[in-house]
Structure formats: structure tokens, C-alpha cells
Amino acid sequence: MSDELRTYVDGAAQLLGEAGVPSPQVDAAALAAHALGMDRLPVLPVPLPDGFTATYAALVDRRCRREPLQHIVGRTGFRYLDLHVEPGVFVPRPETETVAGHAVAEAARLVAHGRTPVVVDLCCGTGAIALAVATEVRRAHVVAVDIDPNAVALTSRNAASVDVAQLEVHHGDVRDPDLLADLAATVDVVVANPPYIPPDQVPVDPEVRDHDPDQALYGGGADGLDTPRAVLAAAVRLLAPGGLLVMEHAEVQASALCQAATAAGLVQVRTEPDLTGRPRAVLARSPHAR
């Protein structure tokens, strides 16, 4: 990196830090790379193009106003994927990578036993979980569903940008008792990162509060669990005997969702932590005998 570019990045990082951006140096570097039309900053010096200063200043100003970095650069990393993101669709978070990992591991286990697993991603958003499974477990047949047409379109766009064959994308409501009726009792893994925030727990971060769609944040009901309970009901309908449910939740919802999963008739119910050690996902299986 040239001394001139380093000066720009360091100055931008100072501005971002003063604006309360959590990772100012990382974001300043990412914005500079974006202004240069690169994925990352070059190690060797490169000439700065005409208009770089104005372009970079405008990008930094947007981030200082707490517009999500992912919206500004138009993409985000998720496991081994580089996903398109856009305003109006929930931006996947790092903690969801561990949720996807459970679905990937189960699908891979079934493939190792000679199976072609069927995996359904409910409330798919960008398609992050569905595409993680489809690209990491090539023999899996993956179905992604979302109620938001924008999310369905974005998942389709992301699918088109990677080499996946066994992926279907559907517009549908997880609360619909006829959703994916043709797959009833045949699905090996149901995985979901549904909206689950209670109405009185508005996110503090402006990037989430002001930019992620409410429909993808708030789960409904006083406890935020209306949509997660609908996911449980869908899982009971869709899972084959012995099939696995993996669903993300907030730390404080672990006990309530474990109880709800047990009440719904699922077995081997447990919670699993994210990378910070917080309870992040409920895992449960459909009983072998209905």
C-alpha cells in the first residue's frame, strides 16, 4: 500500500471511530478497496485513479452515518461464500455461520452414508444458509423459502453467481400449513434463521435497527417467538423420521424454544452455542415413529 493511500485509510478510520463504527480500521480499508474497484487493498503501491478522493470521501460519509458496510459495498462474506446483499433484505451475521454449520454437518453425514439429503432453509433471506449447504455438500438437494419477494429474488441472484445445481427457491409463508406440502415427511434437515426479536427489544446498532427490514427482525408476539413457533410446526410436518431441525434464536429464548420443540413432539432437543459461547441454536429431531 502506498503512503498516500495509507494516509487516506488512517484518516477515514479516525472519522469512522469518532462516528461510533465498531471496526473503523477494517471498514476504512474495505471502503478504500471498493473505491479502487478491488476486493481488498493491494500490498504493493498502485496509482490512485482520478476522482478517488471524492469517491472515497462519499463512501466514508455514508458509513459514518451508519449505513451498513455490506450495503455500501454490495456484498458480504458468509462461510466460503461471497454473497450479494442489498437494502431491504436482512444481512447475514457471523453467528449464523455456526447455525449453517450444523445443517452442513448433518447433510454431509447423510451423504457419507450414501444418501442424497433434502434440506429446507426457511426464512432464507439472502440464501446464505441454503447456499452454504448447496456448495459444501454437493449431493444435497436444497430448497430455500422466504415470504419476502425481495429475499426470494436476492437468493436466486446469489444462487446464479455460484455453481449449484440442486437448489430451488420458493416464495412462501412459513405459517402456511400447506407450505411445501409435496415434501411432507421427506425432509432430512430443516434449518432456519427466522425473525425472533421481541417488540420491546429494539436493536441498539443503527445498522440493524434502521436498515434491516422489520419483517426479518421481529418475530411476532410478546416474546418474539410467533414465527419460530411456526418454524417448529413446519418442521414437524416436513421432517422425515429422524430428520433434524436447526433454528437460530436469541440467547434468552433457548429455554422457551426447547420447551416448545418438546411440546411439538420433537426429540433429542438441545441448544448449541455460537462462537462466543452463547446459546444460539435449538437442535431437535423428528421421532423415528410418529
Side-chain angles (χ1 to χ4, degrees), residues 224-241:
L225 292 178
D226 281 4
T227 301
R229 290 190 186 97
V231 171
L232 285 174
V236 169
R237 287 188 292 102
L238 294 172
L239 286 173

mmCIF file of all heavy atoms in Angstrom, residues 224-241:
data_model
loop_
_atom_site.group_PDB
_atom_site.id
_atom_site.type_symbol
_atom_site.label_atom_id
_atom_site.label_comp_id
_atom_site.label_asym_id
_atom_site.label_seq_id
_atom_site.Cartn_x
_atom_site.Cartn_y
_atom_site.Cartn_z
ATOM 1 N N GLY A 224 -41.595 -12.541 20.833
ATOM 2 C CA GLY A 224 -40.874 -12.624 19.571
ATOM 3 C C GLY A 224 -40.837 -14.008 18.957
ATOM 4 O O GLY A 224 -40.129 -14.224 17.967
ATOM 5 N N LEU A 225 -41.611 -14.940 19.492
ATOM 6 C CA LEU A 225 -41.476 -16.333 19.076
ATOM 7 C C LEU A 225 -42.621 -16.845 18.206
ATOM 8 O O LEU A 225 -42.699 -18.054 17.941
ATOM 9 C CB LEU A 225 -41.321 -17.233 20.307
ATOM 10 C CG LEU A 225 -40.016 -17.058 21.078
ATOM 11 C CD1 LEU A 225 -39.988 -17.965 22.314
ATOM 12 C CD2 LEU A 225 -38.815 -17.332 20.194
ATOM 13 N N ASP A 226 -43.494 -15.966 17.727
ATOM 14 C CA ASP A 226 -44.569 -16.451 16.858
ATOM 15 C C ASP A 226 -44.016 -17.118 15.601
ATOM 16 O O ASP A 226 -44.441 -18.220 15.226
ATOM 17 C CB ASP A 226 -45.498 -15.295 16.463
ATOM 18 C CG ASP A 226 -46.484 -14.935 17.566
ATOM 19 O OD1 ASP A 226 -46.399 -15.536 18.663
ATOM 20 O OD2 ASP A 226 -47.317 -14.037 17.334
ATOM 21 N N THR A 227 -43.084 -16.460 14.933
ATOM 22 C CA THR A 227 -42.516 -17.050 13.719
ATOM 23 C C THR A 227 -41.664 -18.281 14.033
ATOM 24 O O THR A 227 -41.782 -19.304 13.340
ATOM 25 C CB THR A 227 -41.707 -16.007 12.929
ATOM 26 O OG1 THR A 227 -42.562 -14.914 12.590
ATOM 27 C CG2 THR A 227 -41.155 -16.617 11.647
ATOM 28 N N PRO A 228 -40.792 -18.264 15.048
ATOM 29 C CA PRO A 228 -40.087 -19.501 15.395
ATOM 30 C C PRO A 228 -41.031 -20.669 15.717
ATOM 31 O O PRO A 228 -40.733 -21.814 15.358
ATOM 32 C CB PRO A 228 -39.254 -19.094 16.620
ATOM 33 C CG PRO A 228 -38.951 -17.648 16.373
ATOM 34 C CD PRO A 228 -40.220 -17.102 15.782
ATOM 35 N N ARG A 229 -42.149 -20.388 16.362
ATOM 36 C CA ARG A 229 -43.099 -21.482 16.617
ATOM 37 C C ARG A 229 -43.699 -21.999 15.314
ATOM 38 O O ARG A 229 -43.978 -23.197 15.175
ATOM 39 C CB ARG A 229 -44.207 -21.004 17.561
ATOM 40 C CG ARG A 229 -43.738 -20.761 18.997
ATOM 41 C CD ARG A 229 -44.912 -20.521 19.940
ATOM 42 N NE ARG A 229 -44.446 -20.163 21.276
ATOM 43 C CZ ARG A 229 -44.340 -18.924 21.740
ATOM 44 N NH1 ARG A 229 -44.694 -17.898 20.953
ATOM 45 N NH2 ARG A 229 -43.898 -18.688 22.955
ATOM 46 N N ALA A 230 -43.897 -21.103 14.350
ATOM 47 C CA ALA A 230 -44.374 -21.538 13.037
ATOM 48 C C ALA A 230 -43.323 -22.403 12.343
ATOM 49 O O ALA A 230 -43.661 -23.364 11.633
ATOM 50 C CB ALA A 230 -44.724 -20.326 12.178
ATOM 51 N N VAL A 231 -42.050 -22.077 12.546
ATOM 52 C CA VAL A 231 -40.979 -22.917 12.003
ATOM 53 C C VAL A 231 -41.021 -24.306 12.640
ATOM 54 O O VAL A 231 -40.855 -25.328 11.953
ATOM 55 C CB VAL A 231 -39.605 -22.256 12.221
ATOM 56 C CG1 VAL A 231 -38.475 -23.228 11.869
ATOM 57 C CG2 VAL A 231 -39.482 -20.986 11.394
ATOM 58 N N LEU A 232 -41.247 -24.359 13.941
ATOM 59 C CA LEU A 232 -41.378 -25.654 14.614
ATOM 60 C C LEU A 232 -42.511 -26.476 14.011
ATOM 61 O O LEU A 232 -42.344 -27.671 13.733
ATOM 62 C CB LEU A 232 -41.627 -25.456 16.107
ATOM 63 C CG LEU A 232 -40.445 -25.031 16.977
ATOM 64 C CD1 LEU A 232 -40.921 -24.744 18.397
ATOM 65 C CD2 LEU A 232 -39.383 -26.122 16.983
ATOM 66 N N ALA A 233 -43.661 -25.839 13.813
ATOM 67 C CA ALA A 233 -44.800 -26.554 13.241
ATOM 68 C C ALA A 233 -44.477 -27.043 11.833
ATOM 69 O O ALA A 233 -44.834 -28.172 11.449
ATOM 70 C CB ALA A 233 -46.029 -25.643 13.224
ATOM 71 N N ALA A 234 -43.799 -26.210 11.047
ATOM 72 C CA ALA A 234 -43.414 -26.619 9.693
ATOM 73 C C ALA A 234 -42.435 -27.782 9.742
ATOM 74 O O ALA A 234 -42.520 -28.718 8.937
ATOM 75 C CB ALA A 234 -42.803 -25.431 8.945
ATOM 76 N N ALA A 235 -41.502 -27.737 10.683
ATOM 77 C CA ALA A 235 -40.525 -28.816 10.799
ATOM 78 C C ALA A 235 -41.204 -30.142 11.138
ATOM 79 O O ALA A 235 -40.842 -31.195 10.594
ATOM 80 C CB ALA A 235 -39.486 -28.467 11.861
ATOM 81 N N VAL A 236 -42.182 -30.093 12.034
ATOM 82 C CA VAL A 236 -42.906 -31.316 12.394
ATOM 83 C C VAL A 236 -43.570 -31.910 11.163
ATOM 84 O O VAL A 236 -43.608 -33.138 10.974
ATOM 85 C CB VAL A 236 -43.934 -31.020 13.504
ATOM 86 C CG1 VAL A 236 -44.873 -32.199 13.709
ATOM 87 C CG2 VAL A 236 -43.215 -30.667 14.807
ATOM 88 N N ARG A 237 -44.122 -31.063 10.296
ATOM 89 C CA ARG A 237 -44.779 -31.553 9.070
ATOM 90 C C ARG A 237 -43.782 -32.070 8.042
ATOM 91 O O ARG A 237 -44.020 -33.069 7.372
ATOM 92 C CB ARG A 237 -45.604 -30.435 8.440
ATOM 93 C CG ARG A 237 -46.877 -30.067 9.166
ATOM 94 C CD ARG A 237 -47.714 -29.095 8.364
ATOM 95 N NE ARG A 237 -47.096 -27.778 8.239
ATOM 96 C CZ ARG A 237 -46.465 -27.329 7.176
ATOM 97 N NH1 ARG A 237 -46.326 -28.113 6.106
ATOM 98 N NH2 ARG A 237 -45.959 -26.110 7.154
ATOM 99 N N LEU A 238 -42.663 -31.367 7.892
ATOM 100 C CA LEU A 238 -41.752 -31.633 6.782
ATOM 101 C C LEU A 238 -40.735 -32.717 7.060
ATOM 102 O O LEU A 238 -40.330 -33.445 6.136
ATOM 103 C CB LEU A 238 -41.020 -30.341 6.401
ATOM 104 C CG LEU A 238 -41.872 -29.210 5.818
ATOM 105 C CD1 LEU A 238 -41.036 -27.946 5.674
ATOM 106 C CD2 LEU A 238 -42.453 -29.619 4.474
ATOM 107 N N LEU A 239 -40.271 -32.841 8.294
ATOM 108 C CA LEU A 239 -39.167 -33.741 8.578
ATOM 109 C C LEU A 239 -39.553 -35.205 8.415
ATOM 110 O O LEU A 239 -40.620 -35.649 8.869
ATOM 111 C CB LEU A 239 -38.631 -33.513 9.989
ATOM 112 C CG LEU A 239 -37.804 -32.242 10.202
ATOM 113 C CD1 LEU A 239 -37.496 -32.059 11.679
ATOM 114 C CD2 LEU A 239 -36.518 -32.281 9.382
ATOM 115 N N ALA A 240 -38.657 -35.946 7.809
ATOM 116 C CA ALA A 240 -38.778 -37.396 7.779
ATOM 117 C C ALA A 240 -38.458 -37.928 9.178
ATOM 118 O O ALA A 240 -37.833 -37.237 9.989
ATOM 119 C CB ALA A 240 -37.794 -37.971 6.763
ATOM 120 N N PRO A 241 -38.871 -39.141 9.493
ATOM 121 C CA PRO A 241 -38.492 -39.719 10.788
ATOM 122 C C PRO A 241 -36.978 -39.660 10.999
ATOM 123 O O PRO A 241 -36.201 -40.044 10.130
ATOM 124 C CB PRO A 241 -38.986 -41.165 10.671
ATOM 125 C CG PRO A 241 -40.143 -41.088 9.727
ATOM 126 C CD PRO A 241 -39.746 -40.032 8.725
#
